[in-house]
Structure formats: structure tokens, C-alpha cells
Amino acid sequence: MAFTASRVNSSHRPYGRAVAQILGGFLIGAILFFLVLPTLLVIPMSLTDSSYIEFPPKGLTFRWYGEFLSDPDWRAATIFSLKIALSTTVAATAVGTMAAIGLVRGNLPGKALLQALSLGPMIVPHVVFGVALYLIFSPLGLTGNFAGFLIAHTVLSVPYVIITVSAALERFDPSLELAALNCGASRSRAFFSVVLPNISPSVAAASVFAFLASFDEATVAFFISDTGGKTISRKMFEDIDFNLTPVIASVSTLLVAISLVLMGSIHLLTGRGED
């Protein structure tokens, strides 16, 4: 009898495990759908033919995308954001890569403390960081101009580069670099000929993270922008307060599309790096 009962219990275990997996998958899917739903609703709202945001839309039109492209204020904010994001990408990738090399390969005193400090911009609330930057930048005339935004966004983006590149350096076999040095290559030649080609997918992915961190940043931009120079995120906040039209939904849809394309490129780059 005991043998029969054990066989019955063991035969029911696969079914119980399958039911648990189905329920778990359904729960995870429901949570993800709940999180993604607001983003999906923005897309049809950007196509409404009404002069105000509504869901469901009564008609479909691309009028508001045309309004975005033809409005000089929106164009100026978009171009300003792109200039800052591209410059931040270059600066943060260079600084973050060098910092990652120093933290991973270097024998620095207080290395753990330096690693923690390098990730500080990710930990400190952006509101606090924005207030601090405003108090520092305002007397120096760095609010609302390209230089101020470049400094602020580079500081915010560097931690993403450090994390991504450090992970690649941890996986890289240092004996390959040592072999290049033993063959007579200088330290810089060994880095550019051996190390950098092997970690280049991660460096490229880190640059995409830096671009997104700058282009999508809104909190700090609210403090250090002015009428002379404002990012697209600051422009969106202003229109939400004073001129709420479906143009906001159109801009949001474009930002979502850009983010998805860049995140897809990160997935391809990291996948290539693992291969």
C-alpha cells in the first residue's frame, strides 16, 4: 500500500509543477501588462483628431506629429537635447571607460570606496542632485546652456558606463594583454589592439546607456534649464502645465520608439559580446 501511495504522489508532482508554472507565468504576464499598459495607451492618444487628449480616440490622424515637427519651440528643444545627449555619450563613454579600467585593473588605495563614490549619481535622488547643481551653476552662469547640461548629464551617465565596462573587463582574460606586452607592445598599444576590440560590444552598449540617460533625463533638466536653453523633457513638463495637447502624446510615442530601438541595439551588442 505504501508503495502504491508513493507512486500516486510522484505521478501527481509533474502536474502540480506544471500548474504552478502556468500560474506563475500568468501572474508575471499580468504584472508586465499592467506596467506596460500606460505606455501603450499613449500611442492611440497621439493619433486622436481631437484638440485634447482622450481615450479611446474618436478618429485617427497624424496631425499632431506634424504639429511637433513644425513647431519651432519643439524643434529647438529636440535639437538641443540631441546635441547634449550625443556630446554626453562621447564624454561619459571616454571618462567611464577609463574609470572602469582604473577600478578593475588598478591597485588603488580605498578602491572599494572609490567604486561606491563612482556610483553615487545613481544613488543620490535626482531632485537633490538638481538643487545642488543649480546652486553651483547659477553663480557661474552655467544654467540653461550647453556646457552646464553637458557637465550635469556626463556625471549622471558615467556610472552606467562604469558598470557595463567593468563587467566586460572582469570577463576579459588578462593573459591576452600580458601576451601582447611580452611581445613588445606598449601599454597603450596592447589596450587598443587587444583589450578594446574584445570589450568593444560592452563599450558600445555603455554608450547607448549614456545616451538614454541623458536624452530621457527630466528632473535635473528642470532645475538647470531656462528660457534660453531647455531640453525636450523640460518642454514636455511646461506644456503639460500650460498647453496640454495631443502633441505631448506624440512626443511621448517618439521617445518610447527611440528607447525601444536603442534598447534593442543594446541587446544585440551584449549578445554579440557574449558570443
Side-chain angles (χ1 to χ4, degrees), residues 49-267:
D49 60 357
S50 301
S51 58
Y52 54 89
I53 294 178
E54 64 177 0
F55 184 85
K58 296 178 181 179
L60 300 179
T61 179
F62 288 98
R63 166 192 170 189
W64 303 109
Y65 291 91
E67 292 279 347
F68 163 68
L69 295 174
S70 61
D71 189 292
D73 291 335
W74 278 111
R75 288 204 309 270
T78 303
I79 294 172
F80 188 61
S81 293
L82 286 173
K83 288 181 179 178
I84 295 169
L86 291 173
S87 301
T88 298
T89 300
V90 175
T93 303
V95 174
T97 300
M98 290 187 292
I101 294 171
L103 292 172
V104 174
R105 296 293 184 82
N107 188 16
L108 304 174
K111 183 176 179 179
L113 179 60
L114 291 175
Q115 289 177 330
L117 291 176
S118 67
L119 303 181
M122 297 180 64
I123 301 171
V124 177
H126 282 198
V127 173
V128 177
F129 190 70
V131 172
L133 286 180
Y134 174 77
L135 295 176
I136 296 173
F137 284 3
S138 183
L140 300 175
L142 291 175
T143 56
N145 58 41
F146 177 82
F149 273 101
L150 177 60
I151 295 171
H153 284 192
T154 299
V155 173
L156 291 173
S157 302
V158 162
Y160 297 96
V161 180
I162 292 177
I163 292 174
T164 307
V165 177
S166 294
L169 288 172
E170 293 287 354
R171 296 193 303 268
F172 177 72
D173 186 1
S175 62
L176 298 176
E177 185 180 8
L178 292 176
L181 294 174
N182 290 333
C183 291
S186 63
R187 179 71 64 175
S188 59
R189 179 70 179 275
F191 173 77
F192 286 105
S193 300
V194 178
V195 180
L196 187 58
N198 282 276
I199 65 171
S200 58
S202 296
V203 174
S207 67
V208 176
F209 279 124
F211 180 89
L212 287 174
S214 173
F215 193 72
D216 292 342
E217 203 286 318
T219 307
V220 174
F222 186 83
F223 288 95
I224 64 174
S225 61
D226 58 18
T227 56
K230 64 181 70 173
T231 61
I232 190 172
S233 56
R234 173 63 186 271
K235 173 65 175 170
M236 291 177 69
F237 272 107
E238 289 183 354
D239 278 34
I240 289 173
D241 287 334
F242 304 109
N243 187 29
L244 184 58
T245 66
V247 174
I248 299 293
S250 301
V251 176
S252 301
T253 302
L254 292 174
L255 292 179
V256 170
I258 293 172
S259 299
L260 289 176
V261 171
L262 292 178
M263 292 303 294
S265 66
I266 290 175
H267 179 73

